[in-house]
Amino acid sequence: MKLKFAFLVAGLVLTISCSNRDKDEVLNEVNSSSSEEDSSSSGISSSSEAEISSSSSSSSSEAKISSSSSISSSSSSIYLSSSSSSYSSSSYLSSSSSQQQSNDSSTRIDEIRAKWQQYQPQNAATVFVETPSVKNPYETGSLTTEFLTNGLNMFKFVRYLAGLSENIVYTDELNDIAQHGAVLLASLGQLTHTPSKPADMDDDFYEKAYKSTTSANLYMSGSKTSTLEDAVKTFCDDSGESNIGALGHRRWMLHPPLEKIGFGYATSSTASYIPMQIFDKSNTTEKLDAEYVLWPNKGYFPNNFFKTTQAWSVSLNSKNYNFSKCKPTVKLTSLDDGKEWVFSTSDSDKKGKYFNVETSGYGTPYCIIFRPDGLSSFNSNKRFKVEIEGLVDKSDKAQKIEYEVEFFTL
């Protein structure tokens, strides 16, 4: 049984789980079709342009800068409908369409499962090549290739699901910066973008560590056996009370120009700390011109990577829309039972039905955020339709976004 404790630290609600989770548990969680919702996370913004978030088994924090970027998304299978009719040639054609739909569905789901097999994290026998020292004399240590690759592959799969470029690499320089940040956070036992300098830490070490924490998504877990892939999934969830208003971690993860990242990992006596350097914009050519980025993406989407407690997000391409004139409204419909959710600014329950349009510089700067209430799982309610109106393009013409999502289990 997990024991949960909430701490209020510098205005940040950090909820730590005292349960230990080994690597097999992490992989089982991703592969299972359990309907249990992920733990919620929370966060704030600060004048240092940083945001902190936490979850019941971990906490994460992502830094914020102002930027505008192009956006992309992938298209998936569309859903075909066929109506009943008398036994005739039209009935035959309808049946053929249904069969084609079924074949297309199986093909797309098989493609996603094959990609998961390609990127699924493997058991890493060893975390460190050299173990960090979080006390004087401070040492960054270094991570094994296997441990780093697991985090990278999980991130590549997330990018794939969003229809974004999988051309993501970690670099020695960014990993080194992230290791400095991890050691500093572990030495303080605190998750913060603006950590104070320990009296016995030299200036050069601290400056590099501070550079990490102010330009990264940050994650803390009450388990000393946490993994990089844990952090990646937590950043994508991002839907606790303190994070749902911005989804900043997710938006940095799904920022189309991103190409180079870095991971750090260090442990204190009770917790593990993971900075993920995420501010790179090296990708200037791949998949930058699509209309929007969706999470969950349209078409078939694995419920292993999206729970009913998580917020839906639509990040719009600034090249396509006149944001100053957009006043979006959202309707979400369950195609299985016809239930509808119409979202407006009055939906401000950060524990339930929620709606917001967030326009600050978390990766892509314009994000429509909504979360339905009253869903216990995606077992009976699998198919959804999203309709977004109130959008205006660069030619001042009214635009509507409409797409469907169908959840399945990897």
Side-chain angles (χ1 to χ4, degrees), residues 26-277:
V26 174
L27 294 180
N28 287 339
E29 177 184 293
V30 175
N31 286 315
S32 72
S33 59
S34 169
S35 62
E36 180 181 357
E37 283 81 8
D38 287 348
S39 303
S40 61
S41 55
S42 59
I44 63 168
S45 293
S46 75
S47 58
S48 64
E49 295 189 324
E51 183 187 50
I52 304 299
S53 70
S54 68
S55 71
S56 63
S57 62
S58 60
S59 61
S60 61
S61 156
E62 111 284 334
K64 165 190 168 186
I65 61 172
S66 295
S67 65
S68 71
S69 63
S70 303
I71 313 172
S72 73
S73 83
S74 67
S75 61
S76 302
S77 306
I78 60 173
Y79 304 105
L80 306 176
S81 62
S82 59
S83 59
S84 300
S85 63
S86 60
Y87 184 76
S88 64
S89 59
S90 63
S91 177
Y92 172 78
L93 291 174
S94 177
S95 176
S96 298
S97 297
S98 296
Q99 183 62 47
Q100 182 62 47
Q101 176 191 3
S102 178
N103 291 341
D104 291 346
S105 301
S106 297
T107 299
R108 177 57 184 152
I109 291 172
D110 287 345
E111 288 174 355
I112 295 172
R113 286 174 174 160
K115 185 65 72 169
W116 173 240
Q117 288 301 312
Q118 175 186 344
Y119 286 140
Q120 183 174 2
Q122 305 299 310
N123 283 322
T126 308
V127 174
F128 298 112
V129 176
E130 297 180 5
T131 303
S133 171
V134 300
K135 297 180 180 180
N136 194 334
Y138 297 97
E139 299 290 344
T140 58
S142 59
L143 303 175
T144 64
T145 299
E146 294 79 9
F147 192 73
L148 285 165
T149 299
N150 279 344
L152 178 65
N153 282 345
M154 180 67 86
F155 185 41
K156 285 185 175 183
F157 186 67
V158 164
R159 297 274 293 190
Y160 164 78
L161 290 178
L164 298 169
S165 170
E166 301 159 56
N167 183 25
I168 303 292
V169 297
Y170 58 73
T171 69
D172 291 341
E173 177 184 6
L174 291 176
N175 286 342
D176 180 62
I177 291 172
Q179 276 302 121
H180 279 77
V183 169
L184 175 58
L185 295 176
S187 72
L188 297 174
Q190 183 183 10
L191 191 74
T192 173
H193 282 290
T194 55
S196 58
K197 179 181 177 296
D200 57 359
M201 180 177 285
D202 70 65
D203 291 341
D204 289 342
F205 194 106
Y206 174 72
E207 288 175 7
K208 186 173 283 191
Y210 195 85
K211 180 179 180 181
S212 167
T213 62
T214 53
S215 60
N217 283 357
L218 303 179
Y219 170 95
M220 180 179 70
S221 172
S223 168
K224 292 182 66 177
T225 58
S226 189
T227 65
L228 302 181
E229 50 267 35
D230 285 339
V232 168
K233 288 198 73 180
T234 299
F235 294 145
C236 284
D237 180 333
D238 220 20
S239 300
E241 291 181 57
S242 297
N243 287 325
I244 193 170
L247 301 182
H249 304 91
R250 180 190 296 176
R251 287 158 67 188
W252 281 120
M253 301 285 280
L254 304 183
H255 196 205
L258 180 64
E259 183 174 323
K260 299 175 183 178
I261 62 172
F263 286 112
Y265 184 91
T267 61
S268 66
S269 59
T270 59
S272 55
Y273 297 83
I274 299 174
M276 181 180 181
Q277 308 309 134

Side-chain angles (χ1 to χ4, degrees), residues 204-362:
D204 289 342
F205 194 106
Y206 174 72
E207 288 175 7
K208 186 173 283 191
Y210 195 85
K211 180 179 180 181
S212 167
T213 62
T214 53
S215 60
N217 283 357
L218 303 179
Y219 170 95
M220 180 179 70
S221 172
S223 168
K224 292 182 66 177
T225 58
S226 189
T227 65
L228 302 181
E229 50 267 35
D230 285 339
V232 168
K233 288 198 73 180
T234 299
F235 294 145
C236 284
D237 180 333
D238 220 20
S239 300
E241 291 181 57
S242 297
N243 287 325
I244 193 170
L247 301 182
H249 304 91
R250 180 190 296 176
R251 287 158 67 188
W252 281 120
M253 301 285 280
L254 304 183
H255 196 205
L258 180 64
E259 183 174 323
K260 299 175 183 178
I261 62 172
F263 286 112
Y265 184 91
T267 61
S268 66
S269 59
T270 59
S272 55
Y273 297 83
I274 299 174
M276 181 180 181
Q277 308 309 134
I278 201 81
F279 279 5
D280 175 72
K281 299 179 183 178
S282 296
N283 181 6
T284 59
T285 59
E286 291 188 71
K287 299 185 177 181
L288 301 181
D289 295 323
E291 189 177 353
Y292 40 67
V293 171
L294 309 175
W295 193 264
N297 203 2
K298 59 186 174 182
Y300 297 94
F301 198 89
N303 57 22
N304 314 74
F305 281 80
F306 195 82
K307 305 299 182 185
T308 57
T309 54
Q310 293 184 32
W312 300 53
S313 58
V314 179
S315 294
L316 299 183
N317 190 339
S318 60
K319 293 181 179 180
N320 295 73
Y321 293 93
N322 185 341
F323 293 152
S324 65
K325 295 185 177 182
C326 289
K327 296 181 179 180
T329 60
V330 177
K331 182 170 77 170
L332 178 68
T333 304
S334 170
L335 299 179
D336 295 300
D337 61 12
K339 183 175 181 179
E340 293 183 353
W341 295 263
V342 177
F343 296 91
S344 68
T345 54
S346 63
D347 295 315
S348 57
D349 183 0
K350 292 187 175 182
K351 294 182 179 180
K353 187 183 179 189
Y354 185 80
F355 177 78
N356 190 37
V357 178
E358 213 287 328
T359 61
S360 58
Y362 295 97

